């Protein structure tokens, strides 16, 4: 039979389908094959698809539920169900199933459809580019996606929600399709946004709060605030000029007595100075604040407190009022605390740690904190978890309520002690396993300890190779055999640093600095090119190379290598440092006896004629080696380090800052320091703990055996071998105030002494104070540079202080100094790729030339504001504005306002 196209006309339920069934007027021969009053059964011989350009034909046939070989009735439900299934996919605009041919009880079908248009472009109207980018992330519509009605509706709701969460409660969004005239079967999506004005909260009104005032309760609403206002002038105007002339008299000459509640209401209505807090209404924040309000009541003993109703009233479309009706209930108190199930520790020990007595205000949140985890002190669970009782559990249950008193029973299940079976480390793509394992305190075979788990977290974070916010610690208990596996997960972060600056310094030549610090270096992997990223990494060693030049005036080269675990078995840190520096100066000319030549014309010291001529120099060569190790007593936060340093200073007409201008000095120093560092968990933004160190530097007592006549010898002879003993004390304490607001308290002390009176204190290793403290130490002469913000760099330095020339016998630098700092910090970002925090500080310090003038009460004071940003590639960068309150010796005015810029972590 010739191929004939016959439309299968569906009746009954088919008429309800939102699909198109086309009817073709075919030849009478074929019409006789279809009896609509008596459906016939046919076998499907073939199925093809037309009208689908982007959709897979086989997938469409499969979705229809029809397949070759099936027996179907025509007309019948099989065809209507197939159309319904295809329509439900939301991909088609029209669907029809046609008969290509009917022959010998077999029927050939064609699925004819029209695809819905696809998205070619999103067009926004009424918003800025930043908001467009944020919405793209939220909507997640990609080009080429079929646009169904559901997608359009979801897009509209998503856009509206986005702006509602930003306080635009009246936002209107229209999403329309625009035909794309360039791309076939495609549309552009126009998202038209009318944000309208941001809706602010005018008043928050409480009803039923008898125990706490409105102001107290409003402070508990962290995300729901009234907008700032100063309405006193408007109130006065309305009162005076409002209704009649008697208002003036009433306002000026009123003897009405107002109670405290009325006064507070008047202040709240007319003065709202929360300019730093937003007042937009966000539903999720409001719900969270309601929970916080109830938690506050619960913490004060009102366990039955509840919010009866909350009503939001719109004023003018731009502001709303929020009414909260509160049922406080009665106040409850603890009566009896009963312990059950405890065998390891008795009731007295547990009760002492819980710290709750009969008559204390009922607070179940406090109970849970002291039972499970108390950041401010001990808790009951730590007694068990630090001693291996991983399966410990305690459940506080109210067993009796009588009047306003409640009895609580502490039901304890101690369980068995758990032994650590396996320790697993994951996520260290660059760092070798042994670098992490040697910092882990939870070792296989030991009893489980929560304290050691937390300590391990700190030690891994202190390495600096991983994101401290993403260090995971997951105990995996095995109750069947009483063991536990501990899985540590880390996320690598960049830890290497680069310091790069440069420019042209005129006749000085090139001025610049290049510094490279590789904090996770590996000597062992130098030969393994696969470990180079871009240098060999993975063993936790530190390699630092630094070159600095100020044209012909100054050059410095240094090399430092540190192995933190010398030998690989114990934390013995070995460091070697090599340095070479040259400084050229242009100084006054001297005669054969070394006395300055006076210019007969000017009356001042005579200098070389050309500014390009350098006639003085200082060459420094040095090496230092140190070995440090972690101590076990008094605890393993202690660290001791010993070092030997040897420096050679070669002066040639170098001025008088060292007390002599030409000569060679040698400095052989033994240094030992002991420190305790529990600050953390982050090295860049510690929130708790402390760092305390005491160091001592000694040279051999040459004056005891060198037979020099110190009273008559010149300084070059006296200081050929440098002689001194030096003591330094530094302490930093971190206190978490609220949330991430942290107070850093610091104290720094130092003094230098001589072994004998005849030798005196030499020019080396003295203290220079003032400004940013950039550099930490002037290695050319070994000076310790102490920062003091609010004063110019190095200005608080005797004997010259602010200005003045050195006499021939003067030596620049102090021999004793004190400095005290209080710094309040708040982070803007704790992201390891860019840690940013702001700070406010007050500090005081002084630097004395001798001990007879030392007076700890005579300190130069300052205060100011600043900010710090830490980026792994560049280190810590800071800027401070400080005001110096005092006048330095030699100055005529107070130091006043100063800006300071810092690079790197300042030591003092």
């Amino acid at each position: 039979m010739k191929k004939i196209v016959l439309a299968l006309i569906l009746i009954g339920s088919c008429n309800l389908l939102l699909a198109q069934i086309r009817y073709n007027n075919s030849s009478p021969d074929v019409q006789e094959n279809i009896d609509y009053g008596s459906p016939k059964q046919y076998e499907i011989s073939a199925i093809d698809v037309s009208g689908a350009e982007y959709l897979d034909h086989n997938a469409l046939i499969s979705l229809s539920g029809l397949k070759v070989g099936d027996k179907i009735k025509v007309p019948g439900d099989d065809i209507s169900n197939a159309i319904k299934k295809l329509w439900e996919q939301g991909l088609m605009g029209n669907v029809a199933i046609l008969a290509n041919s009917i022959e010998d009880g077999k029927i050939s079908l064609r699925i004819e459809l029209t695809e819905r248009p696809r998205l070619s472009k999103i067009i926004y109207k009424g918003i800025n580019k930043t908001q467009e980018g944020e919405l793209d992330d939220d909507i997640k519509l990609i080009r080429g996606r079929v646009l169904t009605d559901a997608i359009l509706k979801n897009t509209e709701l998503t856009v509206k929600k986005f702006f509602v969460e930003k306080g635009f409660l009246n936002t209107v969004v229209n999403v329309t399709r625009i035909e794309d005239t360039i791309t076939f079967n495609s549309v552009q999506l126009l998202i038209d946004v009318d944000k309208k004005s941001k809706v602010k909260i005018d008043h928050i009104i409480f009803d039923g709060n008898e125990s706490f005032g409105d102001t107290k309760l409003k402070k508990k609403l962290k995300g729901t605030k009234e907008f700032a206002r100063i309405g006193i002038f408007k109130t006065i105007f309305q009162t005076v000029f409002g209704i009649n002339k008697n208002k003036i008299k009433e306002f000026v000459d009123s003897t009405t007595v107002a109670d405290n509640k009325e006064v507070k209401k008047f202040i709240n209505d007319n003065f709202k100075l929360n300019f730093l807090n937003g007042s937009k209404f966000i539903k999720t924040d409001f719900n969270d604040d309601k929970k916080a309000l109830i938690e506050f009541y619960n913490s004060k003993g009102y366990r039955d407190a509840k919010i009866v109703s909350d009503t939001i009233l719109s004023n003018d479309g731009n502001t709303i009022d929020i009414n909260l009706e509160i049922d406080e209930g009665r106040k409850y108190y603890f009566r009896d605390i009963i312990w059950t199930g405890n065998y390891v520790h008795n009731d007295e020990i547990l009760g002492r740690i819980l710290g709750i007595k009969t008559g204390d205000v009922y607070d179940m949140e406090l109970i849970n904190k002291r039972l499970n985890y108390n950041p401010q002190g001990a808790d009951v669970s730590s007694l068990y978890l630090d001693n291996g009782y991983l399966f410990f559990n305690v459940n506080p249950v109210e067993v009796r309520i009588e009047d306003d008193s409640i009895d609580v029973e502490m039901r304890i299940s101690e369980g068995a002690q758990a032994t650590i079976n396996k320790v697993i480390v994951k996520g260290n793509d660059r760092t070798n396993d042994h670098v992490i394992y040697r910092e882990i305190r939870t070792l296989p075979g030991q009893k489980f300890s929560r304290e050691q788990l937390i300590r391990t977290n700190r030690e891994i974070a202190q390495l600096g190779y991983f994101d401290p916010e993403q260090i995971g610690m997951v105990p995996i208990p095995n109750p069947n055999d009483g063991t536990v596996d501990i899985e540590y997960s880390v996320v690598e972060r960049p830890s290497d640093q680069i310091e790069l600056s440069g420019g042209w310094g005129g006749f000085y030549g090139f001025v610049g600095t290049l510094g490279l610090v590789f904090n996770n270096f590996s000597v062992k992997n130098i030969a393994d090119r696969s470990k180079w990223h871009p240098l060999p990494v993975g063993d936790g060693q530190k390699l630092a190379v630094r070159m600095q030049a100020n044209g012909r005036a100054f050059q410095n080269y240094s090399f430092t290598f540190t192995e933190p675990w010398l030998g690989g078995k114990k934390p013995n840190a070995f460091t070697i440092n090599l340095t070479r520096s040259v400084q050229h100066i242009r100084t006054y000319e001297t005669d054969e006896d070394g006395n300055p030549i006076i210019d007969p014309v000017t009356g001042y010291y005579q200098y070389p004629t050309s500014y390009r001529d350098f006639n003085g120099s200082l060459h420094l060569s040095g090496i230092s080696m140190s070995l440090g190790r972690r101590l076990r007593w008094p605890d393993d936060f202690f660290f001791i380090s010993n070092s030997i340093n040897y420096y050679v200073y070669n002066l040639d007409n170098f001025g008088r800052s060292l007390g002599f201008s030409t000569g060679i000095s040698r400095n052989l120093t033994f240094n030992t320091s002991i420190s305790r560092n529990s600050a953390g968990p982050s090295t860049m933004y510690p929130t708790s703990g402390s760092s305390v160190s005491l160091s001592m530097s000694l040279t051999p007592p040459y004056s005891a055996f060198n037979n020099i006549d110190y009273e008559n010898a010149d300084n070059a002879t006296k200081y050929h071998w440098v002689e001194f003993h030096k003591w330094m004390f530094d302490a930093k304490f971190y206190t978490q105030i609220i949330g991430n607001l942290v107070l850093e308290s610091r104290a720094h002390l130092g003094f230098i002494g001589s072994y004998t009176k005849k030798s005196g204190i030499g020019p080396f290793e003295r203290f220079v104070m003032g400004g940013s403290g950039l550099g930490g130490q002037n290695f050319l002469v070994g000076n310790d540079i102490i920062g003091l913000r609010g004063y110019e760099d190095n200005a608080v330095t005797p004997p010259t202080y602010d200005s003045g020339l050195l006499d021939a016998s003067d030596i620049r630098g102090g021999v004793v100094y004190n400095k005290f700092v209080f710094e309040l910090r708040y982070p803007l970002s704790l992201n390891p790729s860019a840690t940013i925090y702001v700070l406010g500080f007050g500090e005081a310090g002084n630097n004395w030339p001798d001990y007879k003038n030392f007076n700890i009460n005579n300190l130069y004071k300052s205060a100011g504001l600043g900010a710090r940003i830490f980026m792994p590639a560049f280190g810590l960068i800071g800027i401070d504005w400080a005001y110096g309150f005092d006048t330095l010796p030699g100055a005529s005015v107070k130091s006043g306002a100063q800006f300071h810029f810092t690079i790197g972590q300042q030591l003092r």
Side-chain angles (χ1 to χ4, degrees):
M1 179 182 293
K2 63 179 181 179
K3 182 177 179 181
I4 302 174
V5 179
L6 178 66
L8 302 177
I9 303 175
L10 303 177
I11 59 175
S13 61
C14 296
N15 293 329
L16 300 178
L17 293 175
L18 297 177
Q20 181 182 3
I21 307 297
R22 291 193 304 221
Y23 180 84
N24 289 331
N25 292 321
S26 304
S27 64
D29 295 340
V30 179
Q31 292 289 346
E32 293 177 356
N33 291 329
I34 302 294
D35 185 352
Y36 299 104
S38 178
K40 291 184 179 181
Q41 188 177 64
Y42 297 97
E43 180 182 341
I44 300 176
S45 61
I47 304 175
D48 60 51
V49 178
S50 66
E53 182 176 350
Y54 299 99
L55 301 175
D56 183 82
H57 289 194
N58 291 329
L60 288 171
I61 295 172
S62 177
L63 289 172
S64 71
L66 301 174
K67 59 180 181 294
V68 175
D70 284 353
K71 297 184 182 300
I72 61 173
K73 286 186 177 182
V74 179
D77 292 338
D78 296 311
I79 298 296
S80 61
N81 288 338
I83 293 176
K84 186 176 182 180
K85 289 177 182 178
L86 290 171
W87 181 257
E88 286 175 347
Q89 303 304 312
L91 302 176
M92 280 70 75
N94 292 301
V95 179
I97 297 181
L98 309 177
N100 288 330
S101 64
I102 299 175
E103 184 177 1
D104 298 332
K106 295 184 179 181
I107 186 169
S108 173
L109 300 177
R110 181 170 80 250
I111 300 175
E112 187 174 278
L113 51 85
T114 302
E115 293 185 27
R116 285 182 180 270
R118 295 174 177 270
L119 176 66
S120 63
K121 184 180 180 181
I122 297 178
I123 303 172
Y124 293 98
K125 183 179 178 181
I127 60 176
N128 58 41
K129 293 295 183 182
T130 301
Q131 293 167 339
E132 289 181 11
E134 293 175 353
L135 281 173
D136 283 339
D137 294 336
D138 287 350
I139 297 173
K140 298 177 181 177
L141 285 179
I142 59 175
R143 185 176 179 181
R145 184 171 182 178
V146 174
L147 290 180
T148 65
D149 294 336
I151 290 177
L152 296 180
K153 188 63 177 178
N154 289 337
T155 300
E156 179 183 337
L157 295 175
T158 301
V159 174
K160 185 174 179 63
K161 179 183 177 183
F162 174 84
F163 286 102
V164 166
E165 289 180 350
K166 293 182 178 296
F168 298 93
L169 303 188
N170 300 321
T171 298
V172 177
V173 180
N174 290 313
V175 180
T176 55
R177 286 175 287 197
I178 303 174
E179 183 180 355
D180 192 327
T181 57
I182 299 176
T183 307
F184 174 74
N185 196 37
S186 297
V187 294
Q188 298 176 352
L189 199 63
L190 174 62
I191 301 177
D192 188 357
V193 181
D194 183 4
K195 297 186 295 185
K196 302 194 180 297
S197 299
K198 185 176 290 188
V199 177
K200 297 184 178 180
I201 301 171
D202 192 4
H203 292 93
I204 301 175
I205 303 164
F206 294 96
D207 186 24
N209 54 314
E210 301 295 333
S211 303
F212 305 100
D214 290 3
T215 303
K216 182 81 171 179
L217 297 182
K218 288 176 183 179
K219 290 180 179 179
K220 303 302 172 184
L221 307 179
K222 302 301 182 183
T224 310
K225 301 288 186 182
E226 297 172 332
F227 71 84
R229 56 178 172 268
I230 301 178
I232 182 64
F233 304 108
K234 181 179 178 181
T235 301
I236 293 174
F237 184 85
Q238 290 176 344
T239 303
V240 173
F241 302 103
I243 301 175
N244 54 55
K245 61 184 181 180
N246 292 330
K247 284 290 183 180
I248 301 176
K249 183 177 180 181
E250 291 177 12
F251 184 78
V252 176
D253 186 25
S254 176
T255 57
T256 303
V257 178
D259 59 22
N260 289 337
K261 189 172 184 179
E262 291 175 328
V263 172
K264 289 180 179 179
K265 183 178 184 305
F266 178 82
I267 293 174
N268 182 68
D269 290 342
N270 292 280
F271 296 96
K272 205 67 182 178
L273 304 180
N274 57 328
F275 294 101
L276 299 179
N277 294 316
S279 63
K280 59 188 177 184
F281 178 81
I282 299 176
K283 186 69 174 178
T284 53
D285 289 350
F286 180 53
N287 291 333
D288 292 341
D289 285 339
K290 288 191 293 183
K291 294 178 183 177
L293 195 61
I294 297 303
E295 290 172 358
F296 166 73
Y297 267 102
N298 293 160
S299 68
K300 300 301 180 182
Y302 297 90
R303 67 184 288 275
D304 300 329
K306 60 183 179 180
I307 296 177
V308 179
S309 65
D310 60 90
T311 306
I312 300 173
L313 302 174
S314 176
N315 295 326
D316 52 6
N318 295 328
T319 62
I320 59 172
D321 290 341
I322 299 176
N323 293 336
L324 291 172
E325 183 181 351
I326 298 174
D327 181 6
E328 295 181 334
R330 72 187 306 171
K331 189 173 185 177
Y332 291 89
Y333 301 87
F334 286 110
R335 188 169 65 181
D336 293 334
I337 304 293
I338 306 159
W339 299 90
T340 62
N342 53 307
Y343 303 101
V344 178
H345 301 288
N346 58 41
D347 294 2
E348 181 181 354
I349 293 175
L350 298 178
R352 186 166 60 249
I353 292 177
L354 189 66
I356 293 176
K357 304 182 294 296
T358 300
D360 285 353
V361 172
Y362 182 83
D363 182 1
M364 189 54 73
E365 182 182 354
L366 179 63
I367 283 276
N368 288 324
K369 182 185 294 184
R370 294 185 179 177
L371 285 178
N372 298 307
Y373 184 70
N374 182 14
Q376 277 78 41
D379 54 77
V380 172
S381 64
S382 64
L383 280 180
Y384 288 90
L385 294 176
D386 291 344
N387 195 27
Y389 291 92
L390 175 63
F391 309 106
F392 163 82
N393 180 53
V394 57
N395 183 28
V397 179
E398 297 175 353
V399 294
R400 187 175 184 182
I401 301 175
E402 186 174 332
D403 296 328
D404 63 352
S405 300
I406 299 178
D407 296 340
V408 179
E409 182 177 291
M410 305 296 178
R411 298 176 181 175
I412 292 177
S413 173
E414 294 178 335
Q417 287 179 299
T419 302
I420 299 173
N421 180 34
K422 292 189 299 183
V423 176
I424 307 163
V425 175
K426 297 171 59 178
N428 51 316
D429 303 322
R430 288 161 48 95
T431 306
N432 293 325
D433 288 348
H434 71 270
V435 175
I436 303 175
Y437 280 120
R438 66 194 185 191
E439 303 295 338
I440 290 176
R441 305 302 180 91
T442 54
L443 303 178
Q446 294 180 345
K447 298 297 182 185
F448 175 83
S449 171
R450 185 179 71 179
E451 178 185 11
Q452 294 303 323
L453 197 69
I454 296 172
R455 177 65 185 278
T456 298
N457 178 288
R458 176 189 178 276
E459 297 301 325
I460 293 176
Q462 291 283 328
L463 290 173
Y465 313 144
F466 312 107
D467 180 359
E469 303 295 323
Q470 298 190 60
I471 297 176
M473 304 176 298
V474 182
I476 306 173
N478 307 306
N480 294 333
D481 58 4
T483 63
V484 58
D485 298 335
I486 300 179
E487 180 180 284
Y488 294 97
S489 59
V490 296
V491 177
E492 299 265 10
R493 71 173 186 182
S495 58
D496 301 329
Q497 298 176 9
I498 181 171
E499 179 184 358
L500 181 62
S501 63
W504 185 255
F507 70 86
Y508 286 103
F510 176 78
V511 177
T513 300
L514 173 63
L516 300 173
V517 180
F518 302 97
N519 286 301
N520 196 4
F521 192 72
S522 174
V523 173
K524 181 181 66 176
N525 291 330
I526 291 178
D528 186 356
R529 296 291 298 181
S530 65
K531 301 290 186 179
W532 287 52
H533 303 280
L535 290 179
V537 298
D539 281 338
Q541 299 162 344
K542 181 177 180 179
L543 176 67
V545 180
R546 193 171 190 270
M547 295 171 284
Q548 184 178 4
N550 187 7
R552 297 179 297 128
F554 173 76
Q555 299 93 40
N556 167 252
Y557 312 92
S558 66
F559 170 87
T560 305
F561 174 78
T562 300
E563 166 54 74
W565 282 66
L566 185 64
K569 295 183 178 180
K570 294 183 179 180
N572 297 322
F574 172 75
T575 300
I576 182 169
N577 172 264
L578 303 173
T579 184
R580 170 68 177 171
S581 301
V582 179
Q583 182 172 353
H584 294 93
I585 65 171
R586 180 176 173 272
T587 186
Y588 51 80
E589 297 178 339
T590 59
D591 57 21
E592 295 179 354
D593 298 327
N595 298 315
I597 298 176
I598 305 299
D599 190 310
V601 177
T602 63
Y604 294 102
Y605 293 158
Q606 181 172 304
Y607 285 82
T609 305
S610 173
Y611 280 92
R612 296 177 178 269
D613 294 335
F614 294 108
N615 59 344
S617 65
L618 168 61
H619 294 251
L620 167 66
S621 300
I623 181 173
S624 66
M625 291 183 291
S626 67
L627 184 64
R629 62 187 177 91
R630 186 181 297 152
L631 302 179
R632 296 183 178 274
W633 185 90
D635 61 37
D636 58 5
F637 286 110
F638 279 85
F639 191 86
I640 189 170
S641 175
N642 300 297
S643 66
I644 296 178
N645 313 294
Y646 179 66
Y647 296 99
V648 177
Y649 306 91
N650 190 342
L651 287 75
D652 181 15
N653 193 29
F654 195 68
R656 293 288 181 174
S657 61
L658 298 178
F660 66 101
S661 62
T662 302
I664 296 177
S665 293
R666 291 177 168 85
N667 185 355
L668 178 63
T669 309
F670 172 77
N671 175 275
T672 185
S673 65
I674 184 169
S675 61
R676 185 183 188 274
N677 183 10
S678 62
S682 170
T683 56
M684 284 299 103
Y685 192 82
T687 57
S688 62
S690 62
S691 175
V692 182
S693 68
L694 174 66
S695 67
M696 172 188 67
S697 298
L698 305 172
T699 67
Y702 302 109
S703 60
F705 52 78
N706 60 11
N707 298 321
I708 293 177
D709 182 3
Y710 281 91
E711 291 185 2
N712 299 313
D714 57 22
N715 286 342
T717 303
K718 290 180 183 179
Y719 307 136
H720 181 69
W721 283 98
V722 178
E723 178 181 318
F724 65 89
H725 58 89
K726 181 177 182 179
W727 306 77
M728 304 286 284
F729 175 79
D730 301 284
K732 301 178 183 179
F733 299 91
Y734 299 93
T735 306
Q736 199 163 1
I737 308 298
I738 300 175
N740 286 324
L741 182 65
V742 175
L743 175 66
E744 181 195 53
S745 308
R746 289 162 36 201
H748 306 281
L749 316 172
F751 71 88
I752 306 171
S754 60
Y755 296 111
T756 62
K757 290 184 178 180
K758 65 178 183 178
S759 63
I761 301 174
F764 298 94
E765 302 284 343
R766 291 190 173 221
F767 305 117
V768 175
M769 177 178 283
S772 63
L774 195 62
Q777 187 182 68
N778 180 359
F779 46 81
L780 282 177
V781 291
N783 288 340
D784 280 288
I785 301 177
I786 315 299
L788 187 64
R789 292 167 287 190
Y791 300 88
E792 293 186 2
D793 286 350
N794 307 335
V796 190
T797 303
T800 56
Y801 288 95
D802 213 30
S803 60
L805 294 172
L806 289 168
D807 292 333
S809 59
D810 285 337
I811 298 175
R812 190 166 190 262
V815 299
V816 57
Y817 89 94
N818 287 168
K819 178 184 174 182
F820 306 96
V821 182
F822 290 99
E823 191 169 282
L824 201 60
R825 303 173 169 182
Y826 187 79
L828 302 179
S829 169
L830 292 177
N831 190 316
S833 62
T835 301
I836 306 172
Y837 62 88
V838 293
L839 54 91
F841 62 87
E843 60 187 34
N846 202 352
N847 188 14
W848 292 271
D850 50 51
Y851 292 103
K852 67 180 180 181
N853 291 316
F854 172 75
N855 181 358
I856 196 171
N857 295 315
N858 180 23
L859 301 176
Y860 298 108
K861 298 172 287 296
S862 66
L865 304 170
R868 298 289 184 273
I869 177 170
F870 173 79
M871 293 181 290
F874 299 99
L876 188 66
I877 301 172
I879 185 170
D880 296 305
W881 175 90
Y883 188 89
F885 297 108
D886 299 304
T887 303
L888 295 175
S892 58
V893 296
K894 293 180 179 179
S895 179
Q898 305 278 342
F899 278 99
H900 304 287
F901 181 75
T902 59
I903 300 177
Q905 190 80 37
Q906 301 307 297
L907 302 178
R908 299 178 177 92

